[in-house]
Amino acid sequence: MTHAVASARGQALRRGWFRFRQSGLSMLGAALVVAVLAIAIVGPWIAPFPGHVAGGVDTANRFLAPSLAHPFGTNELGQDVLSLVLAGTRISVLAGLGVVVLGTLFGTLVGAVAGFAGGWTDEVLMRLSDLKLTIPGLILAMAVAAALGAGLLNMVIAIALSWWPGYARLVRGEVLARKEEVYVAAARAIGASPARILFRHVLPNIVSPVVVKMSLDMGFAILTVASLGFIGIGVRPPTPEWGTLLSVSRSYMPDFWWTAVFPGLAMFVAIFGFNLLGDGLRDVLDPRARR
Amino acid sequence: MALLEIRDLHLAMRSFDGEAHVLNGIDLAVERREVWGLVGDTGCGKSLTGLSVSRLVPTPPGRFLAGEIRFEGRDLLACPEAEVAELRGTGIGMIFQDPTTNLNPAFSIRTQLVDVALSAARRDPAILEGARGRAAQAAAERLAAAMLDRVGIPDAAARLGDYPHEFSGGMRQRVLIAMALIGRPDLLIADEPTTALDVSVQAQILRLIRAMVEEFDMGVLLITHNLGVVAQSCTHVAVMYAGNIVESGPVRAVLTTPLHPYTRALLQAIPTRGVVRGALRGLAGAVPNLIAPPPGCRFAPRCPRATDACRAAVPPPRGEGHRVACLHPGDRDA
Amino acid sequence: MLEIENVTKVYPGRQGMFGASPPVTALSGVSLAIAAGESFGLVGESGSGKTTLTRCILRLEAPTSGHIRFDGEDFARLTPVALRAMRARIQIVFQDPFASLNPRMSVHDIVTEPMVIHRATLGLGARQRSARAAELLDLVGLGPQHLHRHPHEFSGGQRQRICIARALACQPAMVLLDEPTSALDVSVQAQVLNLLADLQARLGLTYLFISHDLGVIRYVCDRTALIWRGQIVEEGTTERVFDAPASDYARMLIAAMPEVRFD
């Protein structure tokens, strides 16, 4: 019996995978994301100079141009840029993921309650999120980070605080639409309680657009984390993080271009990958593209 | 030469599960002033037949394997797209099921009808009596009003400026019929034109289509799932099952003495006057999988009369006029 | 069993940014009485108010005035708890079998859901519910092997059977059938109509059968009412309504029926 369930889900997955595979760009996105995630996991261990990652310096070899020994060159402290970029992947991706997950959880909660309850609850929650939207995200994040103090966790919280309204609006809209489905009327007609309708009939059917938005947002979240690192209120050196790496190296441009270009390139690849994946997922999961 | 002649048309559609053979040798000839009803269950290929004629089947995923579609002698499948595009509207008019989604809500009826008239006049200036420039615009408006009047919209000239949402469903379908007929097509393809409408409105629209056939001297392909609609408004009928025409001919002959077991089953499933509760006959079984269809007659797995010969090869249509593709035809239950 | 007495439903008009809309009277003074065990047909075209009436009967909406009584109890006077218990007694099958099943739930979960919701009154444990779900599928002509499949794996006719199984899960006294076969092919429609007739005979159900298809109504209903612009314009035994229609509207509708008939 469980086998039957698995095969039904399996078939839906295979269909989705078939449609996903039709697009080369989606596949490229998926490949990039897999690579980035893999590096995020094993990055610190495959770094050729683990000592540099831990903060060790090698002043004798400052600003070496890319070579076989140092494919991405070395920086102002003589650290291997490749090692820093590989190790920094974990921090950047983890922070981006943290932001998106926190924002999604909070936003979904607010949006679901607003859309499902309606009336003044909806008004209050949505005006609150409108209010949030009037404050530029980066500025709010800066203020919060400044108040909480620098550090990875504080930065993630700070950005997530400016992140949830997008999800709240998306989820609210989806909940409003799902509420009108005939199967929801059917559930009401058999006497289902509001909580049951929300958790059994409404929320499971809005997972797809949320997942798509999460994937599309990942790139931007990584960028925002890096921006905070860049302006110096994110992760502090010596912990390697792409934005911080960029920030430090900007004073050595353009002569020692490799110190900035390679962290930037890593960021570009990660963001590009998540965006392509998100677009591909949307094509597969969007209910309007279905059937 | 028939107005429309479809010969041995085979169409395949690619999907996740494989390539489905959705049209399996369609033969059909439509003359002027004939109204052909194309009936069958969901997925039998009736709409795809209509779309094939107007070359609106997307390729890919569609692929024409064989056959020809001759419109006034020209093979549409061999024509370049530009030529077919020119035919749509002036040679072949189309109306669809949902009158709401087929009108652009952002423009008035006037704008939409005048547009169609002007583009039709570019190919056939006679439509606007050769008027050009500003005169053409005025002529197109006059024609639009005349057409609305002709399809039974009261106070047509005054309603030209109205937007689609200001019309009821039946009135919108009339507007679409006016739009389809403005280029004076020789062939009208109507795909479930009354399915979204109320019964009382349906009767009016069907009467209107009949009247237009006489007036415009055209042929009609009326695609429907409703045999009652066919009986009321068609001169001929083709019954389709799983990509084949199983029975065709003059409507009265086919519906009063149905020879194919599927046609008989369809007729027995309709709740008509005098059928007592529980006496209706449904059709057991399911439509075959068209990706790997059974080798012989596609109806054989559900057919009470099927023999080994039926399962061996697709039976060719036989008979003159009233044609049936069955090895064991008969108007009585076996 | 079901008494509808002088029910009126008015939707208030709106004062919007782009102009106001006047109030809409969807039902005005509708009275009907449906006896236990009968199959009552309600015929109406789009905008006639038949959908509003079903929503009022199911108490998805409250009528503006008038009373709806089921088994002698007035819906408007019931406490929320009593209303939920009442919902087990009146069930509905909707028109569109593709939209009325939650795509994320298995057939087992769909059919057992009413039993889970009303477990207090039914007193069925999880295992008994599963067993009953299998029975119900059998009853509507689907095998228990379908229990763990999802709605998208079924054809329209099969889905409508699942909807019927769900409606019967709590052993209701009455089932509202809201155009249950309009979305189906005729050969499938015939099977579903026969199934409904058979279930009624076996389980002693009361039906309120709503349709725009007069042929279907004539086939399954004992009595028929015609609703037009929110008002009942004709009511009587099905035979009488079809053979000797009293109102112009009934005559017009019957004349417009697309029938396979050559005379």
Side-chain angles (χ1 to χ4, degrees):
Chain A
M1 277 190 184
T2 43
H3 173 74
V5 182
S7 84
R9 298 235 168 92
Q11 206 199 358
L13 272 178
R14 281 208 310 280
R15 273 173 193 280
W17 175 237
F18 170 78
R19 234 178 282 129
F20 190 80
R21 236 176 23 205
Q22 299 286 298
S23 155
L25 282 179
S26 305
M27 290 302 287
L28 176 65
L32 290 179
V33 167
V34 167
V36 166
L37 290 180
I39 291 173
I41 294 167
V42 302
W45 297 308
I46 58 166
F49 294 87
H52 295 174
V53 175
V57 295
D58 182 6
T59 38
N61 292 316
R62 296 174 69 213
F63 294 126
L64 290 183
S67 65
L68 265 183
H70 300 284
F72 288 3
T74 60
N75 66 4
E76 78 285 353
L77 300 173
Q79 294 166 323
D80 179 45
V81 176
L82 174 64
S83 299
L84 294 183
V85 167
L86 286 176
T89 308
R90 177 180 285 182
I91 308 285
S92 292
V93 170
L94 201 66
L97 205 62
V99 166
V100 170
V101 168
L102 276 183
T104 304
L105 287 178
F106 191 60
T108 302
L109 184 72
V110 171
V113 170
F116 198 70
W120 64 267
T121 318
D122 183 22
E123 282 295 319
V124 169
L125 288 174
M126 282 301 112
R127 292 303 80 77
L128 211 66
S129 85
D130 283 349
L131 195 67
K132 168 62 224 37
L133 285 174
T134 59
I135 308 168
L138 201 58
I139 307 232
L140 181 77
M142 279 168 65
V144 174
L148 295 176
L152 184 65
L153 187 65
N154 289 347
M155 178 179 64
V156 168
I157 293 172
I159 304 175
L161 270 180
S162 67
W163 215 268
W164 63 268
Y167 287 91
R169 304 196 134 243
L170 172 77
V171 168
R172 175 180 173 268
E174 289 291 328
V175 166
L176 283 179
R178 292 303 144 255
K179 250 169 75 177
E180 299 306 316
E181 296 278 356
V182 183
Y183 56 77
V184 171
R188 284 180 68 198
I190 55 178
S193 63
R196 185 178 187 87
I197 290 174
L198 181 60
F199 288 105
R200 290 285 281 169
H201 297 280
V202 174
L203 288 184
N205 284 296
I206 65 168
V207 167
S208 302
V210 171
V211 167
V212 169
K213 184 168 164 63
M214 284 174 80
S215 177
L216 286 172
D217 273 5
M218 261 305 282
F220 195 56
I222 290 173
L223 193 66
T224 309
V225 169
S227 309
L228 284 192
F230 187 80
I231 54 181
I233 51 174
V235 182
R236 289 282 164 81
T239 311
E241 189 271 335
W242 295 340
T244 323
L245 293 178
L246 266 181
S247 167
V248 173
S249 54
R250 97 197 116 133
S251 9
Y252 312 112
M253 285 287 277
D255 301 333
F256 309 112
W257 53 269
W258 54 89
T259 55
V261 161
F262 289 107
L265 210 58
M267 221 144 75
F268 167 78
V269 167
I271 295 167
F272 189 57
F274 276 109
N275 280 342
L276 287 183
L277 177 70
D279 279 339
L281 284 178
R282 183 175 50 204
D283 291 345
V284 173
L285 296 175
D286 191 321
R288 271 150 298 201
R290 259 190 196 168
R291 285 181 218 212
Chain B
M1 182 179 66
L3 174 65
L4 172 73
E5 197 166 2
I6 303 176
R7 276 192 216 140
D8 194 33
L9 185 67
H10 288 257
L11 172 67
M13 295 288 269
R14 186 164 48 82
S15 75
F16 163 70
D17 300 300
E19 204 171 50
H21 204 149
V22 287
L23 295 182
N24 185 30
I26 299 291
D27 284 292
L28 188 70
V30 180
E31 303 280 356
R32 281 178 196 274
R33 299 205 173 207
E34 283 181 351
V35 181
W36 272 84
L38 216 49
V39 282
D41 282 346
T42 312
C44 70
K46 55 190 194 295
S47 284
L48 281 172
T49 306
L51 288 175
S52 300
V53 172
S54 42
R55 275 268 302 269
L56 289 176
V57 176
T59 48
R63 192 159 65 90
F64 288 101
L65 305 174
E68 46 191 45
I69 300 173
R70 293 200 172 272
F71 178 72
E72 293 187 308
R74 255 199 298 180
D75 186 359
L76 295 181
L77 291 184
C79 275
E81 169 60 30
E83 234 172 281
V84 182
E86 197 160 299
L87 268 180
R88 291 183 207 125
T90 49
I92 302 173
M94 278 167 289
I95 44 181
F96 297 99
Q97 173 172 349
D98 189 351
T100 314
T101 52
N102 283 289
L103 285 168
N104 188 334
F107 294 102
S108 68
I109 296 301
R110 181 204 317 271
T111 316
Q112 303 191 44
L113 285 173
V114 163
D115 254 14
V116 176
L118 288 178
S119 70
R122 273 197 287 280
R123 293 161 218 151
D124 181 6
I127 289 170
L128 296 179
E129 286 142 2
R132 285 175 182 282
R134 193 168 292 178
Q137 174 75 24
E141 282 194 28
R142 276 200 305 279
L143 178 62
M147 281 308 300
L148 285 188
D149 187 53
R150 190 58 210 85
V151 296
I153 289 181
D155 208 4
R159 299 218 60 183
L160 263 184
D162 286 357
Y163 286 79
H165 72 265
E166 295 173 85
F167 291 84
S168 68
M171 286 296 160
R172 270 183 226 147
Q173 195 58 290
R174 286 173 194 263
V175 171
L176 280 170
I177 293 175
M179 197 179 277
L181 295 183
I182 217 164
R184 300 192 191 183
D186 304 290
L187 177 71
L188 179 69
I189 299 172
D191 192 350
E192 304 268 9
T194 59
T195 306
L197 305 177
D198 280 331
V199 182
S200 52
V201 182
Q202 164 169 293
Q204 296 165 10
I205 296 290
L206 293 176
R207 268 201 299 277
L208 173 66
I209 292 177
R210 282 297 295 250
M212 293 292 139
V213 170
E214 300 298 317
E215 187 171 328
F216 286 78
D217 189 29
M218 59 183 183
V220 176
L221 208 53
L222 179 74
I223 297 157
T224 177
H225 65 279
N226 189 330
L227 277 172
V229 165
V230 171
Q232 277 193 346
S233 52
C234 297
T235 60
H236 294 73
V237 60
V239 180
M240 289 188 69
Y241 182 80
N244 288 100
I245 291 180
V246 294
E247 183 163 4
S248 65
V251 68
R252 185 184 281 256
V254 173
L255 297 188
T256 52
T257 52
L259 296 175
H260 196 282
Y262 177 66
T263 316
R264 298 180 52 70
L266 268 188
L267 283 163
Q268 282 170 345
I270 301 172
T272 46
R273 184 182 213 49
V275 179
V276 293
R277 206 172 303 167
L280 218 51
R281 301 263 294 273
L283 188 54
V287 179
N289 177 359
L290 295 186
I291 289 165
C297 171
R298 289 182 173 187
F299 187 62
R302 302 170 86 180
C303 182
R305 300 180 180 204
T307 57
D308 287 344
C310 298
R311 288 180 272 267
V314 180
R318 294 183 297 186
E320 275 305 310
H322 184 175
R323 293 161 68 79
V324 58
C326 183
L327 297 179
H328 312 288
D331 61 351
R332 264 164 230 281
D333 282 324
Chain C
M1 166 150 305
L2 182 74
E3 284 170 89
I4 298 166
E5 194 184 299
N6 207 13
V7 164
T8 295
K9 174 76 189 177
V10 180
Y11 290 103
R14 238 174 236 184
Q15 300 283 323
M17 209 193 307
F18 303 103
S21 60
V24 179
T25 307
L27 296 171
S28 63
V30 171
S31 295
L32 288 174
I34 300 169
E38 81 171 329
S39 158
F40 190 94
L42 183 66
V43 181
E45 303 196 310
S46 52
S48 61
K50 59 183 197 295
T51 307
T52 309
L53 188 60
T54 38
R55 293 182 68 87
C56 287
I57 294 173
L58 291 169
R59 202 70 193 174
L60 296 175
E61 271 174 55
T64 314
S65 70
H67 299 279
I68 297 177
R69 276 187 287 270
F70 182 73
D71 262 354
E73 289 194 79
D74 193 333
F75 278 2
R77 302 224 178 107
L78 292 177
T79 60
V81 176
L83 183 65
R84 274 186 60 194
M86 181 66 85
R87 289 208 153 130
R89 313 257 300 133
I90 306 187
Q91 286 296 313
I92 181 162
V93 175
F94 290 97
Q95 169 175 3
D96 186 350
F98 291 89
S100 53
L101 297 174
N102 184 340
R104 301 262 167 188
M105 285 166 75
S106 71
V107 173
H108 172 271
D109 292 352
I110 288 168
V111 176
T112 52
E113 187 174 29
M115 299 185 258
V116 174
I117 291 167
H118 296 289
R119 60 184 176 275
T121 27
L122 294 171
L124 292 178
R127 189 157 299 183
Q128 290 162 303
R129 289 198 293 265
S130 297
R132 173 139 175 81
E135 262 171 51
L136 284 163
L137 281 197
D138 197 47
L139 192 66
V140 298
L142 291 171
Q145 73 273 20
H146 296 302
L147 269 177
H148 292 278
R149 295 165 70 188
H150 281 72
H152 69 88
E153 299 173 70
F154 294 91
S155 67
Q158 290 175 316
R159 285 178 197 221
Q160 205 56 303
R161 286 170 193 267
I162 296 169
C163 292
I164 293 169
R166 171 174 63 185
L168 297 179
C170 293
Q171 296 178 308
M174 179 165 187
V175 182
L176 299 191
L177 300 158
D178 186 359
E179 307 255 10
T181 60
S182 309
L184 307 177
D185 284 325
V186 271
S187 54
V188 180
Q189 162 175 292
Q191 293 175 326
V192 172
L193 291 179
N194 285 346
L195 171 68
L196 288 171
D198 179 51
L199 289 172
Q200 182 172 37
R202 282 162 68 182
L203 307 175
L205 297 166
T206 307
Y207 284 158
L208 173 56
F209 199 113
I210 296 150
S211 183
H212 69 276
D213 187 332
L214 290 147
V216 168
I217 292 284
R218 182 174 56 195
Y219 180 65
V220 292
C221 296
D222 308 314
R223 287 199 299 139
T224 300
L226 263 54
I227 185 168
W228 182 67
R229 297 196 184 168
Q231 285 176 307
I232 302 291
V233 292
E234 176 133 4
E235 189 195 337
T237 62
T238 304
E239 238 168 70
R240 208 276 298 150
V241 170
F242 279 86
D243 292 343
S247 60
D248 290 342
Y249 182 67
R251 275 192 286 274
M252 187 276 288
L253 269 191
I254 290 166
M257 276 173 80
E259 293 213 81
V260 184
R261 204 174 53 206
F262 299 93
D263 38 29

PDB file of all heavy atoms in Angstrom, chain A residues 187-206:
ATOM      1  N   ALA A 187     -15.014  20.616   1.542  1.00  0.00           N
ATOM      2  CA  ALA A 187     -14.567  20.358   2.906  1.00  0.00           C
ATOM      3  C   ALA A 187     -15.461  21.090   3.911  1.00  0.00           C
ATOM      4  O   ALA A 187     -15.825  20.542   4.955  1.00  0.00           O
ATOM      5  CB  ALA A 187     -13.110  20.785   3.080  1.00  0.00           C
ATOM      6  N   ARG A 188     -15.826  22.317   3.564  1.00  0.00           N
ATOM      7  CA  ARG A 188     -16.724  23.051   4.466  1.00  0.00           C
ATOM      8  C   ARG A 188     -18.060  22.336   4.568  1.00  0.00           C
ATOM      9  O   ARG A 188     -18.655  22.261   5.636  1.00  0.00           O
ATOM     10  CB  ARG A 188     -16.938  24.473   3.947  1.00  0.00           C
ATOM     11  CG  ARG A 188     -15.754  25.395   4.184  1.00  0.00           C
ATOM     12  CD  ARG A 188     -16.037  26.783   3.649  1.00  0.00           C
ATOM     13  NE  ARG A 188     -17.079  27.479   4.387  1.00  0.00           N
ATOM     14  CZ  ARG A 188     -17.733  28.542   3.913  1.00  0.00           C
ATOM     15  NH1 ARG A 188     -17.455  29.011   2.722  1.00  0.00           N
ATOM     16  NH2 ARG A 188     -18.644  29.120   4.646  1.00  0.00           N
ATOM     17  N   ALA A 189     -18.525  21.816   3.433  1.00  0.00           N
ATOM     18  CA  ALA A 189     -19.833  21.165   3.428  1.00  0.00           C
ATOM     19  C   ALA A 189     -19.846  19.891   4.269  1.00  0.00           C
ATOM     20  O   ALA A 189     -20.882  19.512   4.787  1.00  0.00           O
ATOM     21  CB  ALA A 189     -20.263  20.854   1.996  1.00  0.00           C
ATOM     22  N   ILE A 190     -18.686  19.213   4.382  1.00  0.00           N
ATOM     23  CA  ILE A 190     -18.697  18.033   5.248  1.00  0.00           C
ATOM     24  C   ILE A 190     -18.406  18.413   6.689  1.00  0.00           C
ATOM     25  O   ILE A 190     -18.305  17.550   7.550  1.00  0.00           O
ATOM     26  CB  ILE A 190     -17.723  16.920   4.782  1.00  0.00           C
ATOM     27  CG1 ILE A 190     -16.306  17.452   4.639  1.00  0.00           C
ATOM     28  CG2 ILE A 190     -18.191  16.299   3.495  1.00  0.00           C
ATOM     29  CD1 ILE A 190     -15.316  16.393   4.238  1.00  0.00           C
ATOM     30  N   GLY A 191     -18.280  19.701   6.964  1.00  0.00           N
ATOM     31  CA  GLY A 191     -18.170  20.149   8.342  1.00  0.00           C
ATOM     32  C   GLY A 191     -16.752  20.296   8.856  1.00  0.00           C
ATOM     33  O   GLY A 191     -16.536  20.301  10.063  1.00  0.00           O
ATOM     34  N   ALA A 192     -15.765  20.408   7.966  1.00  0.00           N
ATOM     35  CA  ALA A 192     -14.378  20.538   8.397  1.00  0.00           C
ATOM     36  C   ALA A 192     -14.177  21.860   9.142  1.00  0.00           C
ATOM     37  O   ALA A 192     -14.767  22.878   8.794  1.00  0.00           O
ATOM     38  CB  ALA A 192     -13.445  20.465   7.204  1.00  0.00           C
ATOM     39  N   SER A 193     -13.334  21.831  10.172  1.00  0.00           N
ATOM     40  CA  SER A 193     -13.071  23.041  10.952  1.00  0.00           C
ATOM     41  C   SER A 193     -12.120  23.944  10.161  1.00  0.00           C
ATOM     42  O   SER A 193     -11.414  23.479   9.270  1.00  0.00           O
ATOM     43  CB  SER A 193     -12.425  22.662  12.275  1.00  0.00           C
ATOM     44  OG  SER A 193     -11.177  22.050  12.018  1.00  0.00           O
ATOM     45  N   PRO A 194     -12.105  25.246  10.505  1.00  0.00           N
ATOM     46  CA  PRO A 194     -11.210  26.174   9.787  1.00  0.00           C
ATOM     47  C   PRO A 194      -9.757  25.723   9.815  1.00  0.00           C
ATOM     48  O   PRO A 194      -9.067  25.793   8.800  1.00  0.00           O
ATOM     49  CB  PRO A 194     -11.397  27.489  10.534  1.00  0.00           C
ATOM     50  CG  PRO A 194     -12.754  27.401  11.130  1.00  0.00           C
ATOM     51  CD  PRO A 194     -12.974  25.945  11.447  1.00  0.00           C
ATOM     52  N   ALA A 195      -9.295  25.222  10.967  1.00  0.00           N
ATOM     53  CA  ALA A 195      -7.891  24.806  11.059  1.00  0.00           C
ATOM     54  C   ALA A 195      -7.628  23.658  10.088  1.00  0.00           C
ATOM     55  O   ALA A 195      -6.621  23.624   9.394  1.00  0.00           O
ATOM     56  CB  ALA A 195      -7.572  24.378  12.486  1.00  0.00           C
ATOM     57  N   ARG A 196      -8.565  22.724  10.036  1.00  0.00           N
ATOM     58  CA  ARG A 196      -8.412  21.583   9.142  1.00  0.00           C
ATOM     59  C   ARG A 196      -8.364  22.052   7.696  1.00  0.00           C
ATOM     60  O   ARG A 196      -7.557  21.580   6.901  1.00  0.00           O
ATOM     61  CB  ARG A 196      -9.581  20.630   9.359  1.00  0.00           C
ATOM     62  CG  ARG A 196      -9.426  19.383   8.550  1.00  0.00           C
ATOM     63  CD  ARG A 196     -10.546  18.392   8.790  1.00  0.00           C
ATOM     64  NE  ARG A 196     -10.185  17.185   8.080  1.00  0.00           N
ATOM     65  CZ  ARG A 196      -9.441  16.228   8.579  1.00  0.00           C
ATOM     66  NH1 ARG A 196      -9.010  16.325   9.805  1.00  0.00           N
ATOM     67  NH2 ARG A 196      -9.118  15.177   7.854  1.00  0.00           N
ATOM     68  N   ILE A 197      -9.254  22.978   7.344  1.00  0.00           N
ATOM     69  CA  ILE A 197      -9.279  23.479   5.971  1.00  0.00           C
ATOM     70  C   ILE A 197      -7.950  24.148   5.647  1.00  0.00           C
ATOM     71  O   ILE A 197      -7.358  23.914   4.585  1.00  0.00           O
ATOM     72  CB  ILE A 197     -10.456  24.465   5.784  1.00  0.00           C
ATOM     73  CG1 ILE A 197     -11.764  23.689   5.837  1.00  0.00           C
ATOM     74  CG2 ILE A 197     -10.328  25.218   4.471  1.00  0.00           C
ATOM     75  CD1 ILE A 197     -12.994  24.547   5.802  1.00  0.00           C
ATOM     76  N   LEU A 198      -7.444  24.954   6.582  1.00  0.00           N
ATOM     77  CA  LEU A 198      -6.188  25.666   6.322  1.00  0.00           C
ATOM     78  C   LEU A 198      -5.032  24.681   6.160  1.00  0.00           C
ATOM     79  O   LEU A 198      -4.277  24.753   5.194  1.00  0.00           O
ATOM     80  CB  LEU A 198      -5.907  26.650   7.466  1.00  0.00           C
ATOM     81  CG  LEU A 198      -4.625  27.473   7.311  1.00  0.00           C
ATOM     82  CD1 LEU A 198      -4.679  28.313   6.035  1.00  0.00           C
ATOM     83  CD2 LEU A 198      -4.410  28.377   8.513  1.00  0.00           C
ATOM     84  N   PHE A 199      -4.909  23.741   7.093  1.00  0.00           N
ATOM     85  CA  PHE A 199      -3.723  22.886   7.076  1.00  0.00           C
ATOM     86  C   PHE A 199      -3.819  21.694   6.129  1.00  0.00           C
ATOM     87  O   PHE A 199      -2.811  21.226   5.627  1.00  0.00           O
ATOM     88  CB  PHE A 199      -3.389  22.413   8.510  1.00  0.00           C
ATOM     89  CG  PHE A 199      -2.842  23.522   9.348  1.00  0.00           C
ATOM     90  CD1 PHE A 199      -3.601  24.127  10.328  1.00  0.00           C
ATOM     91  CD2 PHE A 199      -1.548  23.991   9.119  1.00  0.00           C
ATOM     92  CE1 PHE A 199      -3.101  25.177  11.091  1.00  0.00           C
ATOM     93  CE2 PHE A 199      -1.034  25.041   9.872  1.00  0.00           C
ATOM     94  CZ  PHE A 199      -1.814  25.637  10.852  1.00  0.00           C
ATOM     95  N   ARG A 200      -5.032  21.209   5.887  1.00  0.00           N
ATOM     96  CA  ARG A 200      -5.163  20.049   5.010  1.00  0.00           C
ATOM     97  C   ARG A 200      -5.445  20.441   3.574  1.00  0.00           C
ATOM     98  O   ARG A 200      -5.035  19.752   2.644  1.00  0.00           O
ATOM     99  CB  ARG A 200      -6.325  19.156   5.494  1.00  0.00           C
ATOM    100  CG  ARG A 200      -6.042  18.440   6.776  1.00  0.00           C
ATOM    101  CD  ARG A 200      -5.096  17.288   6.570  1.00  0.00           C
ATOM    102  NE  ARG A 200      -5.756  16.105   6.017  1.00  0.00           N
ATOM    103  CZ  ARG A 200      -5.084  15.062   5.560  1.00  0.00           C
ATOM    104  NH1 ARG A 200      -3.781  15.078   5.569  1.00  0.00           N
ATOM    105  NH2 ARG A 200      -5.726  14.016   5.082  1.00  0.00           N
ATOM    106  N   HIS A 201      -6.214  21.503   3.383  1.00  0.00           N
ATOM    107  CA  HIS A 201      -6.693  21.777   2.032  1.00  0.00           C
ATOM    108  C   HIS A 201      -6.058  22.996   1.384  1.00  0.00           C
ATOM    109  O   HIS A 201      -5.952  23.063   0.173  1.00  0.00           O
ATOM    110  CB  HIS A 201      -8.217  21.926   2.044  1.00  0.00           C
ATOM    111  CG  HIS A 201      -8.933  20.676   2.457  1.00  0.00           C
ATOM    112  ND1 HIS A 201      -9.156  19.637   1.600  1.00  0.00           N
ATOM    113  CD2 HIS A 201      -9.433  20.276   3.654  1.00  0.00           C
ATOM    114  CE1 HIS A 201      -9.776  18.652   2.238  1.00  0.00           C
ATOM    115  NE2 HIS A 201      -9.953  19.026   3.488  1.00  0.00           N
ATOM    116  N   VAL A 202      -5.693  23.974   2.197  1.00  0.00           N
ATOM    117  CA  VAL A 202      -5.162  25.200   1.602  1.00  0.00           C
ATOM    118  C   VAL A 202      -3.636  25.180   1.526  1.00  0.00           C
ATOM    119  O   VAL A 202      -3.059  25.226   0.441  1.00  0.00           O
ATOM    120  CB  VAL A 202      -5.673  26.444   2.365  1.00  0.00           C
ATOM    121  CG1 VAL A 202      -5.002  27.690   1.838  1.00  0.00           C
ATOM    122  CG2 VAL A 202      -7.183  26.568   2.234  1.00  0.00           C
ATOM    123  N   LEU A 203      -2.984  25.067   2.679  1.00  0.00           N
ATOM    124  CA  LEU A 203      -1.516  25.187   2.684  1.00  0.00           C
ATOM    125  C   LEU A 203      -0.792  24.156   1.800  1.00  0.00           C
ATOM    126  O   LEU A 203       0.112  24.535   1.064  1.00  0.00           O
ATOM    127  CB  LEU A 203      -0.986  25.159   4.118  1.00  0.00           C
ATOM    128  CG  LEU A 203      -1.291  26.436   4.918  1.00  0.00           C
ATOM    129  CD1 LEU A 203      -0.654  26.380   6.300  1.00  0.00           C
ATOM    130  CD2 LEU A 203      -0.798  27.680   4.183  1.00  0.00           C
ATOM    131  N   PRO A 204      -1.182  22.882   1.827  1.00  0.00           N
ATOM    132  CA  PRO A 204      -0.442  21.943   0.971  1.00  0.00           C
ATOM    133  C   PRO A 204      -0.499  22.329  -0.504  1.00  0.00           C
ATOM    134  O   PRO A 204       0.383  21.966  -1.278  1.00  0.00           O
ATOM    135  CB  PRO A 204      -1.161  20.605   1.208  1.00  0.00           C
ATOM    136  CG  PRO A 204      -1.790  20.744   2.537  1.00  0.00           C
ATOM    137  CD  PRO A 204      -2.183  22.189   2.653  1.00  0.00           C
ATOM    138  N   ASN A 205      -1.524  23.059  -0.889  1.00  0.00           N
ATOM    139  CA  ASN A 205      -1.655  23.399  -2.297  1.00  0.00           C
ATOM    140  C   ASN A 205      -0.965  24.705  -2.675  1.00  0.00           C
ATOM    141  O   ASN A 205      -1.069  25.157  -3.815  1.00  0.00           O
ATOM    142  CB  ASN A 205      -3.137  23.446  -2.686  1.00  0.00           C
ATOM    143  CG  ASN A 205      -3.700  22.051  -2.829  1.00  0.00           C
ATOM    144  OD1 ASN A 205      -3.286  21.303  -3.697  1.00  0.00           O
ATOM    145  ND2 ASN A 205      -4.603  21.684  -1.933  1.00  0.00           N
ATOM    146  N   ILE A 206      -0.308  25.364  -1.715  1.00  0.00           N
ATOM    147  CA  ILE A 206       0.408  26.584  -2.080  1.00  0.00           C
ATOM    148  C   ILE A 206       1.911  26.396  -1.913  1.00  0.00           C
ATOM    149  O   ILE A 206       2.677  27.341  -2.000  1.00  0.00           O
ATOM    150  CB  ILE A 206      -0.059  27.812  -1.271  1.00  0.00           C
ATOM    151  CG1 ILE A 206       0.269  27.634   0.203  1.00  0.00           C
ATOM    152  CG2 ILE A 206      -1.543  28.051  -1.451  1.00  0.00           C
ATOM    153  CD1 ILE A 206       0.107  28.920   0.974  1.00  0.00           C
TER     154      ILE A 206
END
